[in-house]
Amino acid sequence: MTQIRQSSLPRLLLLTSLMLVLLGVASCGTQQIIFVYPDEALDFQLRNLKMPAVYIDTVTDMRPAQQRSGGGHFFTVTYPKDEAWEVPATQIYAEALAQDLDQTNLVELVPLHAQADYILSMDLLSLSCKMKRSPASFLLAGAIGGGAGMALGDDASHRLKLGAVLAAITAVAVPVPTNNRAEAEVRLSLKDRTGNILWQKSCLGEVDERLYLTATAREDQKLVNEHLTKAVKRANACLLGQMRQFLLENGGQGDS
């Protein structure tokens, strides 16, 4: 077996440092995240009732500060932060809800307040992903590299140095178990044209997935596409199902 000589350690250390820097730069991309919301296949049409006209009013952003600012490294990362979104989170949710309302045929969306049977307002309570990794996973990955270095070294000193270098490389380069949790929580309020609340419900949509990612991997756009959009879809399915029941019980149209 070809062994790595002690004279090659400075070069190996330099290469390792460069690799870590490049990985860090790669993980901090500036591309903004878009919300690619899937189409809705369910039909919530109110049978034998006139479709109520609904005006979508304001979205109040009530997310925790941690979701707005994002942050964290390696072990726990909250994303996307507000600056990472292509458009504001309130606009993202309003457009997703409007799409679901339109595609489920539950209501007719109208552009003017005066045209509506109901006014729909939204409180955005949560819209975020949280990635978690166990420190033990990095220790295990590092131990594998360290063990390889100890086996390849010429003498005790060389083995220790080489083991430390390879442990650092494997700790960041080997994919480790990673839990990604996406959640979307929203409260909807259906009001009459004078502002009286006729119906109000909140729902939480969650997606919890186990992945294998390297320490510096930040596949934010991919995970938003796969997990956060699904969490919003689940929250909306819960909300629109309950709204449909309210509309059925009240004959579709409220007092206007």
Side-chain angles (χ1 to χ4, degrees), residues 92-238:
I92 286 170
Y93 180 72
E95 291 176 352
L97 180 63
Q99 178 179 316
D100 282 342
L101 286 169
D102 179 61
Q103 294 181 347
T104 56
N105 300 307
L106 178 60
V107 300
E108 176 191 3
L109 299 179
V110 294
L112 299 177
H113 189 284
Q115 298 173 323
D117 299 310
Y118 297 104
I119 310 302
L120 183 63
S121 62
M122 299 143 282
D123 296 324
L124 185 59
L125 306 177
S126 178
L127 184 71
S128 182
C129 294
K130 180 171 288 188
M131 184 186 299
K132 289 187 176 182
R133 302 180 176 101
S134 168
S137 300
F138 292 103
L139 292 175
L140 178 59
I144 294 172
M150 295 295 288
L152 293 172
D154 292 330
D155 52 39
S157 177
H158 185 213
R159 286 194 292 270
L160 287 173
K161 293 176 181 177
L162 184 57
V165 171
L166 294 183
I169 293 175
T170 55
V172 297
V174 174
V176 297
T178 304
N179 186 76
N180 190 63
R181 181 178 183 274
E183 69 170 43
E185 186 175 10
V186 182
R187 179 169 56 236
L188 295 186
S189 301
L190 206 59
K191 307 173 184 177
D192 61 23
R193 288 206 298 263
T194 62
N196 297 314
I197 296 177
L198 306 174
W199 171 89
Q200 186 180 74
K201 295 291 181 183
S202 61
C203 281
L204 171 66
E206 300 175 281
V207 175
D208 209 328
E209 296 285 347
R210 185 177 177 85
L211 312 164
Y212 283 85
L213 299 172
T214 63
T216 55
R218 290 296 302 274
E219 301 178 358
D220 293 10
Q221 180 66 71
K222 178 183 177 182
L223 297 178
V224 165
N225 288 348
E226 294 180 356
H227 299 160
L228 191 54
T229 58
K230 188 183 295 183
V232 171
K233 186 68 73 175
R234 290 177 178 177
N236 281 354
C238 169

Side-chain angles (χ1 to χ4, degrees), residues 21-35:
V21 170
L22 290 174
L23 285 172
V25 171
S27 69
C28 299
T30 58
Q31 186 175 3
Q32 289 190 301
I33 295 173
I34 60 176
F35 196 75

